[in-house]
Amino acid sequence: MSRYRLPSRRSLAAILAVASLPVAALAQDDHPHAGMLRYPDVSATHITFVYANDLWVVPREGGVARPVASPSGPEQNPRFSADGQTLAFVGNFDGDRDLYTIALDGDTPHRVTHHPANETFSDWTADGRLVFSSWLYPGSHAHGPGLYSVDAGGGMPDRLPVPYGGNGAVSADGVWLAYTPSIRENRTWKRYQGGLAQDVWLFNLETNASQRVTDYAGTDTSPMWHGEKLYYLSDNTESGRLNLFVHDPATGEKTQVTDYTDNDVKFPSIGPGTEGQGEVIFQLGTELMLLDLGSGETTAVDITVPGVRNALRPQIVDAAELIMDGGVSATGQRAVVEAR
């Protein structure tokens, strides 16, 4: 049994206070890459995304972004309206995560939903409603959240006629709802093939007929409509990475669209494209990528986020309350600790 004991928490805190060193800053050039731009969407003229828990927009061609909204906590899933002039997103301005809309040029955010349950926003419909999933009525759908739509101006949500699900997208003609019965986009379960593995389903909102689109054992998710074609994410690839696929409901044919092997395609969203040909924007590592559905070409969008980034400055960190583990040398003269 060791004759030395681990120093007390107070002693370790004192050691850290004496030995604290500045945190190294990340190397920056004249036009630093912002990094970790998440939840993108694209209109005919602009791109929106979430960075550092704030909502930003930038011209579709890239450039210097500008902030749009900065409520407490993180924003998620911003989406442009059909005319590209309004953004809907999940935010927390009033102490709860709800759906909000805001004009592209800023102004006062409008709160759309008011239920204490959290909402996960999916998309706009062609007639200006917002599709989202939520546990609005606990116990009424024990296997998962329900799918709802609500007028962008507010009012009571309407339950969509499927038992439960998320990632809802309604076709432009209002006939087909594409969705996944389960939701796990923000879980870190790569190459998962368990009981919550997702599949894409179609539900006819006129006839109430349903159709299973995918039956792969892994992940099929994030359905998006462009005309009569259905795009979605799947890791049914040779590399096991999430990539974009397209499904033709008329023929049942499925085709892999992208073939990335180093990173997963994340958080895709579809836009009209510059000439109506359609394009998909998505996160790939630290980049935002635009896929032109007409030409099949993919390009990275060069975006600069302006302003002071305090987290990147050299700084002293007090780790006294963050100690996780430690040990002492055989002489008792030195100690090593693990923190942060």
Side-chain angles (χ1 to χ4, degrees):
M1 185 173 182
S2 173
R3 50 185 290 204
Y4 300 104
R5 300 181 61 187
L6 186 67
S8 69
R9 188 180 185 88
R10 180 173 297 177
S11 298
L12 290 176
I15 293 170
L16 285 181
V18 173
S20 295
L21 293 174
V23 176
L26 299 179
Q28 299 289 303
D29 55 26
D30 291 338
H31 299 285
H33 186 282
M36 292 308 293
L37 312 183
R38 311 181 76 198
Y39 310 116
D41 190 30
V42 61
S43 71
T45 58
H46 287 82
I47 290 170
T48 183
F49 59 91
V50 172
Y51 169 70
N53 288 344
D54 289 330
L55 186 62
W56 301 76
V57 296
V58 68
R60 181 193 161 279
E61 297 77 16
V64 179
R66 61 178 175 84
V68 177
S70 304
S72 301
E75 291 78 81
Q76 283 186 326
N77 300 355
R79 294 289 184 266
F80 287 104
S81 58
D83 62 5
Q85 298 305 304
T86 304
L87 284 166
F89 62 99
V90 176
N92 182 358
F93 287 96
D94 302 313
D96 190 27
R97 289 168 51 79
D98 284 282
L99 300 185
Y100 288 82
T101 61
I102 191 170
L104 180 62
D105 57 359
D107 207 353
T108 303
H110 170 68
R111 185 173 179 177
V112 179
T113 58
H114 296 78
H115 197 278
N118 290 335
E119 287 84 11
T120 301
F121 180 45
S122 297
D123 205 358
W124 293 74
T125 63
D127 60 353
R129 295 179 67 82
L130 308 182
V131 178
F132 68 97
S133 58
S134 180
W135 299 84
L136 290 186
Y137 306 108
S140 62
H141 33 77
H143 296 285
L147 265 170
Y148 300 85
S149 72
V150 63
D151 188 276
M156 291 298 294
D158 293 326
R159 178 84 178 270
L160 293 173
V162 292
Y164 44 84
N167 299 308
V170 178
S171 59
D173 59 10
V175 174
W176 289 100
L177 166 69
Y179 73 104
T180 60
S182 60
I183 309 175
R184 35 174 288 274
E185 269 61 39
N186 289 309
R187 295 182 183 270
T188 54
W189 299 350
K190 293 181 181 292
R191 270 55 74 189
Y192 175 76
Q193 296 190 5
L196 288 178
Q198 295 162 289
D199 280 311
V200 177
W201 283 71
L202 290 178
F203 186 88
N204 191 302
L205 296 171
E206 294 180 347
T207 67
N208 291 341
S210 62
Q211 174 187 341
R212 186 174 183 174
V213 174
T214 63
D215 58 5
Y216 169 59
T219 296
D220 299 302
T221 187
S222 302
M224 305 168 289
W225 290 100
H226 177 62
E228 297 179 353
K229 299 293 182 64
L230 183 66
Y231 289 81
Y232 64 98
L233 279 185
S234 178
D235 60 9
N236 186 11
T237 60
E238 186 174 345
S239 65
R241 295 291 186 183
L242 286 166
N243 275 277
L244 283 168
F245 284 70
V246 61
H247 168 73
D248 186 345
T251 64
E253 182 180 2
K254 297 176 180 62
T255 305
Q256 185 172 340
V257 178
T258 63
D259 188 21
Y260 294 105
T261 58
D262 292 334
N263 291 289
D264 291 298
V265 173
K266 300 287 288 183
F267 310 120
S269 184
I270 204 159
T274 55
E275 299 178 1
Q277 78 280 11
E279 59 186 352
V280 178
I281 190 168
F282 53 89
Q283 178 187 341
L284 187 73
T286 61
E287 302 283 355
L288 291 188
M289 310 293 291
L290 270 177
L291 168 64
D292 187 305
L293 297 181
S295 67
E297 295 182 356
T298 305
T299 57
V301 185
D302 186 11
I303 297 175
T304 299
V305 177
V308 176
R309 286 188 283 279
N310 290 328
L312 300 187
R313 293 182 62 249
Q315 56 189 293
I316 300 296
V317 175
D318 182 0
E321 299 300 322
L322 304 172
I323 298 171
M324 302 297 294
D325 203 351
V328 294
S329 65
T331 63
Q333 299 300 307
R334 296 183 178 182
V336 60
V337 297
E338 173 189 345
R340 300 186 75 232

